[in-house]
Amino acid sequence: MFGRPGSVNKAGHREVQVTYEEFADARLGALLRYAVMLTGDPHQAQDLVQETMVRVQLNWRRVARTDAPERYVRRMLTNQYVDWRRGSWARRVLLRSDPDEAVPAPTDHAQSAVDRDQVWSWLSRLPRRQRATLVLRYYEDLPDAEIAEILGCAVGTVRSCISRALATLRAEYVEVCS
Amino acid sequence: MIEDDLRAAFARHESLAPPAGPVRAAIDQTVVRRRRRLRLAGTAMAVVAAALTGFTAIAPQHREAGTLLAEPTASAPTGALNVLLLGVDAAGPDESRRADSILLVHVPADRSRLYLVSLPRDLLVPIPGQGTDKLNKSFTSSATSGNGDLTRGYDRTRQVVAQLTGVRIDAGAVLTYRAARDLTDAVGGVPVCLPAPVRSVHTDRRFPAGCQQLGGGEVVDLLRQRYGLRDAARDRDRNAERYAAGLLRQIHERGGLTDPVLFSKLIGQVGSGLVTDTGDLSLPSLVSMAGQAADAEPVGLGLPVRYVDKPTIGFGLDPALAPGFLDALRNDRLGEWTEAHPDQVNTLR
């Protein structure tokens, strides 16, 4: 429902207005999952989504006026994540408890699970922007043009970002196998 | 292959996503708080009132309040004043204390209002003889137990704060938990307005969002809480400012800031957990200044900082905001600075 363009007439008046409540009902879960894929950590994901959605709610009229509110919000969230050193949410995470900010170890201690989750832990070593491109392509299954729009860069940049990220992961594979 | 592994890894970790319900509630609470913060600009701290109380307790009691206000003594300071107020925690096993609430009260030269500036206890600062450490540790190394040591701890922290801010500290006070409790009870409880609910990790007591009248024991419980607050110790600093504002208002409304007798009664009930320093100032002039400035709602501020992880985890001065802020503080232009940075004002009520 929120992926479709909103109806805005020529005078700029909203005809079909999605309310913030409807948006949150429908999309908050998906945004939290997306944030987990980006951050690799449920607490950081929660803080990231919370900070973003506070701004979304405070500026809801502007958000709702865009063609695709969800894409707009996803873009806000992604930028917040990529810029996290500069953003305010990171230091909240870090000060909330004693610093143990490493990506959490897999809770399943079976050896097979550890092996499977190696890909997941390698992701945490990628630069944030690269990780975001992987999440958008392989988790959200978005076309490169839309990924480019979310990250605010050219399609070619998205592709080179992804191929560099995949090359890094492949190198990890080689290291483990040799 | 790797693409498939990636998809599988993402799918497996979907279960890490936190449930939406509590997140939704937290978002709504924060929105309410920020909207309120946009509307309001006003504040003070418990320790403010404690310091004022302390000063006044030994003020000459034969003079009428009106005389004090109308005829400041010849030595009355005419410029801006800065008063340092420290809330210290319970003495640890080694008898050491830390200054966990650090508040600089700026009284502008026009005495129009009080500016309460909280300094984060986790601010990394150079401490004489200790290298770089957190601001709250500046109290520790010399303060052990007893009032003599509260005084020494105050002196060390005062030096560090003066160096950090570049302002002269004209007076100050130290308040222990017990003093905060006794002072609160002595004024018949203090109204505190919280933007979000707080749960005590020590007693499991719940403080709802909104305004409430708190007794001494409840106040101490509230002022100790930082875990679970969104902004941790910085939110606790804000709660301390809210309490201070409530206490100041409570005392002022009862005429306490102009009635030396009430003051000395209060100070008698607080006792040895409160240590004050009046520096070079005369007591009547401090009373006079406090009485004037407390007529207006105080403004709550925090030293602009940002998170750093070197040399250790803590706060450093915000390079964008702190220079301008400190410049305004030194030159008595906090009013202008606050107008230019309304988002930096803490909501006090």
Side-chain angles (χ1 to χ4, degrees):
Chain A
M1 150 176 205
F2 298 100
R4 73 178 160 77
S7 321
V8 178
N9 69 16
K10 279 181 193 153
H13 294 302
R14 298 174 306 275
E15 288 173 23
V16 181
Q17 172 78 343
V18 175
T19 66
Y20 167 79
E21 282 69 27
E22 288 170 335
F23 177 79
D25 282 345
R27 302 314 302 165
L28 189 57
L31 289 170
L32 282 163
R33 287 192 292 277
Y34 174 58
V36 163
M37 301 311 154
L38 289 179
T39 61
D41 174 82
H43 300 292
Q44 293 191 10
Q46 170 163 352
D47 277 22
L48 179 58
V49 169
Q50 224 165 281
E51 186 57 33
T52 306
M53 288 298 277
V54 165
R55 288 194 290 136
V56 165
Q57 194 176 340
L58 287 172
N59 301 296
W60 179 248
R61 248 179 296 176
R62 202 177 64 215
V63 176
R65 226 180 284 143
T66 60
D67 286 348
E70 177 169 22
R71 206 184 309 155
Y72 189 82
V73 171
R74 200 175 286 271
R75 184 173 175 169
M76 285 173 73
L77 195 143
T78 310
N79 287 335
Q80 180 107 8
Y81 163 73
V82 172
D83 296 343
W84 82 312
R85 266 288 169 222
R86 278 171 278 161
S88 64
W89 67 277
R91 64 175 174 243
R92 281 196 194 109
V93 173
L94 291 166
L95 291 175
R96 170 189 289 160
S97 55
D98 291 324
D100 53 351
E101 292 306 313
V103 169
T107 46
D108 183 351
H109 292 297
Q111 187 56 41
S112 64
V114 172
D115 289 338
R116 279 190 324 186
D117 281 340
Q118 251 171 355
V119 181
W120 181 251
S121 63
W122 291 336
L123 281 172
S124 67
R125 297 184 211 164
L126 293 176
R128 291 200 180 81
R129 211 177 164 77
Q130 289 187 19
R131 179 168 184 156
T133 57
L134 291 185
V135 173
L136 288 165
R137 186 191 269 181
Y138 297 109
Y139 179 66
E140 299 288 344
D141 283 319
L142 294 180
D144 290 351
E146 215 166 302
I147 297 174
E149 196 187 313
I150 286 172
L151 291 171
C153 64
V155 175
T157 313
V158 169
R159 289 187 186 138
S160 66
C161 234
I162 290 177
S163 66
R164 241 175 303 155
L166 290 178
T168 308
L169 295 182
R170 281 196 195 100
E172 299 277 6
Y173 265 106
V174 171
E175 212 172 284
V176 167
C177 297
S178 56
Chain B
M1 40 165 266
I2 183 129
E3 288 88 347
D4 294 334
D5 285 351
L6 268 175
R7 284 181 207 278
F10 287 138
R12 269 199 310 279
H13 288 86
E14 275 193 337
S15 58
L16 279 182
V23 179
R24 182 92 186 262
I27 293 165
D28 291 349
Q29 273 168 18
T30 312
V31 165
V32 168
R33 193 182 66 195
R34 293 211 187 152
R35 284 199 176 127
R36 217 184 283 156
R37 193 185 295 171
L38 293 175
R39 278 199 305 270
L40 273 170
T43 286
M45 172 161 162
V47 199
V48 178
L52 302 177
T53 322
F55 301 139
T56 327
I58 37 173
Q61 299 194 3
H62 61 273
R63 301 186 64 171
E64 300 258 329
T67 317
L68 290 177
L69 293 175
E71 299 172 1
T73 59
S75 68
T78 50
L81 292 174
N82 295 288
V83 180
L84 180 66
L85 305 170
L86 305 177
V88 296
D89 64 1
D94 58 349
E95 299 282 284
S96 68
R97 293 177 188 270
R98 290 168 303 176
D100 278 345
S101 294
I102 303 149
L103 189 77
L104 188 64
V105 182
H106 176 78
V107 191
D110 64 8
R111 307 289 185 254
S112 54
R113 56 175 44 78
L114 298 176
Y115 292 91
L116 309 181
V117 181
S118 43
L119 311 180
R121 58 169 213 148
D122 293 322
L123 185 66
L124 299 173
V125 289
I127 298 175
Q130 284 175 241
T132 295
D133 209 337
K134 293 184 175 177
L135 182 53
N136 66 345
K137 298 271 187 62
S138 63
F139 197 89
T140 309
S141 59
S142 59
T144 52
S145 61
N147 281 345
D149 295 313
L150 287 181
T151 307
R152 280 212 293 279
Y154 166 81
D155 278 338
R156 289 175 58 92
T157 304
R158 181 177 57 86
Q159 283 172 23
V160 170
V161 170
Q163 199 174 23
L164 170 76
T165 57
V167 299
R168 189 188 129 99
I169 309 294
D170 301 287
V174 180
L175 194 69
T176 61
Y177 285 150
R178 190 169 55 76
R181 189 191 62 210
D182 293 348
L183 184 63
T184 306
D185 286 336
V187 298
V190 166
V192 177
C193 300
L194 298 173
V198 176
R199 185 183 73 81
S200 167
V201 299
H202 299 102
T203 64
D204 207 37
R205 187 186 269 123
R206 314 281 165 132
F207 299 91
C211 296
Q212 51 218 292
Q213 186 83 5
L214 299 181
E218 294 168 312
V219 156
V220 170
D221 197 8
L222 174 68
L223 293 185
R224 294 179 71 194
Q225 303 311 316
R226 80 190 142 95
Y227 294 113
L229 303 189
R230 242 196 99 64
D231 226 354
R234 301 229 67 203
D235 267 344
R236 179 171 65 180
D237 286 347
R238 294 181 186 119
N239 285 342
E241 289 192 350
R242 291 180 184 110
Y243 166 67
L247 181 59
L248 196 59
R249 201 174 341 134
Q250 185 82 351
I251 294 177
H252 193 43
E253 275 170 12
R254 292 160 51 135
L257 290 182
T258 48
D259 179 357
V261 178
L262 176 54
F263 261 141
S264 53
K265 202 171 128 202
L266 284 175
I267 203 68
Q269 286 167 356
V270 174
S272 66
L274 177 70
V275 172
T276 59
D277 159 40
T278 59
D280 300 335
L281 302 171
S282 75
L283 288 163
S285 63
L286 272 169
V287 177
S288 159
M289 151 217 114
Q292 290 170 48
D295 280 337
E297 190 80 2
V299 177
L301 298 169
L303 180 65
V305 293
R306 68 170 189 179
Y307 170 77
V308 294
D309 54 11
K310 287 194 179 83
T312 176
I313 287 180
F315 286 115
L317 290 177
D318 182 330
L321 286 175
F325 175 83
L326 289 174
D327 191 56
L329 176 69
R330 285 190 285 261
N331 295 302
D332 196 13
R333 289 189 289 101
L334 276 184
E336 290 165 42
W337 191 88
T338 305
E339 265 177 45
H341 301 88
D343 56 329
Q344 296 290 316
V345 174
N346 299 335
T347 305
L348 297 183
R349 66 189 283 201

